[in-house]
Amino acid sequence: MLSVIPNPPRVALPIVGSDDLFPVRRVYCVGRNYAAHAREMGADPEREPPFFFMKPADALQIAGGPDPVPHPYPPRTQNYHFEVEMVAALGRGGRDIAVERALDHVYGYAVGLDMTRRDLQDDAKALRRPWDLGKAADASAPIGPLHRAAVIGHPDRGMIGLSVDGAPRQSGDLSEMIWSVAEQVAYLSAYFELQPGDLLFTGTPSGVGPVRRGETMVASVEGLGEIALAVT
């Protein structure tokens, strides 16, 4: 049976130290998972249940290498924000995964960015509408190559940060997460049957802010390297 349109390509991430690729199914993102970031967004940083939103898999933009990757400034926004995050990639799925076993489901980790049309997100919040227009722009999820957990382990502390044109903008430590990676995976699995190929953007530290055309962002996570993007 033939498809009536060309089959859309499936996004696949490069893997450090391997010629193999990691095909992506879904992209989950946790909101306000660092206390300082929760405060700067006007929220109470107390340990309330986590909340999640999603980005389409084809919003991923693969970055890496020595040169900055061109990153398109999206339409219909005047306030485009960066949010550096560590990304966990699931190699095994399941429902109702126990916290104690959750990291067994993680294949690897990468540096990522949750790029946000903040003005559209703020409008959606005020109107109590979904965040899709703010969060799901084309190329709004830059991501670097995957580092296998079998090689690097499961990072739970270490620097996470972002600079714009060499000036530091975000700086934090993975240990400052309100909800750990294992807790996020376990919590999500109560609502969805997670599958191999799912990604989880695990939250951003404080310091989020706007980026403009002509500027270059460098996002880094200790042990996972960095990705550089030139906004066009």
Side-chain angles (χ1 to χ4, degrees):
M1 182 181 297
L2 297 176
S3 299
V4 297
I5 60 171
N7 286 320
R10 187 174 184 183
V11 178
L13 306 181
I15 301 169
V16 174
S18 175
D19 293 329
D20 296 334
L21 296 174
F22 184 91
V24 177
R25 190 185 81 109
R26 290 183 179 176
V27 180
Y28 298 96
C29 306
V30 67
R32 297 197 288 260
N33 196 38
Y34 287 71
H37 174 58
R39 284 192 291 268
E40 76 178 350
M41 300 303 291
D44 187 340
E46 292 300 321
R47 203 168 190 265
E48 298 176 347
F51 72 93
F52 297 86
F53 57 92
M54 297 176 69
K55 289 178 181 273
D58 63 4
L60 292 166
Q61 180 187 21
I62 298 173
D67 299 318
V69 174
H71 178 76
Y73 195 99
R76 313 298 291 183
T77 181
Q78 301 299 319
N79 196 20
Y80 190 46
H81 277 209
F82 50 77
E83 299 186 18
V84 60
E85 312 212 1
M86 184 176 74
V87 183
L90 300 188
R92 293 170 50 195
R95 286 186 184 274
D96 297 319
I97 299 168
V99 172
E100 297 76 17
R101 304 294 299 176
L103 293 183
D104 295 341
H105 295 251
V106 178
Y107 176 85
Y109 298 89
V111 181
L113 281 168
D114 168 18
M115 300 301 297
T116 303
R117 290 188 276 210
R118 189 71 73 201
D119 42 3
L120 300 189
Q121 185 194 28
D122 288 344
D123 289 346
K125 289 179 180 178
L127 296 170
R128 298 186 178 182
R129 291 176 178 173
W131 291 3
D132 300 62
L133 294 181
K135 287 291 190 179
D138 296 336
S140 63
I143 188 169
L146 276 181
H147 296 252
R148 290 171 288 176
V151 175
I152 68 165
H154 297 279
D156 59 3
R157 61 188 62 252
M159 185 278 300
I160 177 172
L162 180 139
S163 65
V164 176
D165 286 349
R169 297 290 185 85
Q170 287 188 268
S171 181
D173 194 279
L174 298 176
S175 63
E176 298 168 357
M177 286 188 190
I178 298 171
W179 293 87
S180 70
V181 173
E183 290 170 325
Q184 292 178 56
V185 171
Y187 190 92
L188 263 179
S189 72
Y191 291 87
F192 300 96
E193 182 174 2
L194 300 178
Q195 298 289 345
D198 289 346
L199 299 184
L200 176 56
F201 281 62
T202 62
T204 193
S206 62
V208 301
V211 67
R212 298 171 179 84
R213 291 180 178 88
E215 296 181 329
T216 296
M217 304 178 291
V218 177
S220 61
V221 176
E222 188 174 333
L224 303 179
E226 63 183 35
I227 57 174
L229 299 108
V231 183
T232 62

